[in-house]
Amino acid sequence: FFFFLIRNLKIAVNKRPVSVCFDASNLAMLSEGTVNKYCSGKPNACGLLVGYDEYGWIVRMPWGPLWGEEGYV
């Protein structure tokens, strides 16, 4: 089931950005780099899934360009 969910999400984001919500507790102090932790809690932040690469999903967060990788995680 999980494989099909991931595959369908990749198909969707190849067509247009997708709104996503997730547990962002591990992102509070992020200044650069990638996050490789699974989200395990209740959703507490939303962003715009704009793509993916070999490392994972690329999400534009609404917290501005001074956060994360110029506003992306």
Side-chain angles (χ1 to χ4, degrees):
F1 175 77
F2 189 70
F3 170 77
F4 294 109
L5 176 67
I6 297 298
R7 188 188 69 168
N8 289 340
L9 193 53
K10 286 181 176 181
I11 291 169
V13 79
N14 282 331
K15 294 180 181 179
R16 65 186 145 278
V18 177
S19 179
V20 293
C21 295
F22 53 92
D23 174 13
S25 301
N26 293 324
L27 305 181
M29 303 306 290
L30 182 71
S31 62
E32 62 182 21
T34 60
V35 177
N36 59 1
K37 297 181 180 182
Y38 289 99
C39 299
S40 59
K42 293 181 181 179
N44 59 15
C46 295
L48 196 59
L49 179 62
V50 296
Y52 59 93
D53 60 19
E54 65 271 16
Y55 302 108
W57 302 106
I58 301 169
V59 180
R60 183 172 188 266
M61 298 301 292
W63 302 325
L66 299 178
W67 178 87
E69 293 279 339
E70 298 184 8
Y72 290 83
V73 63

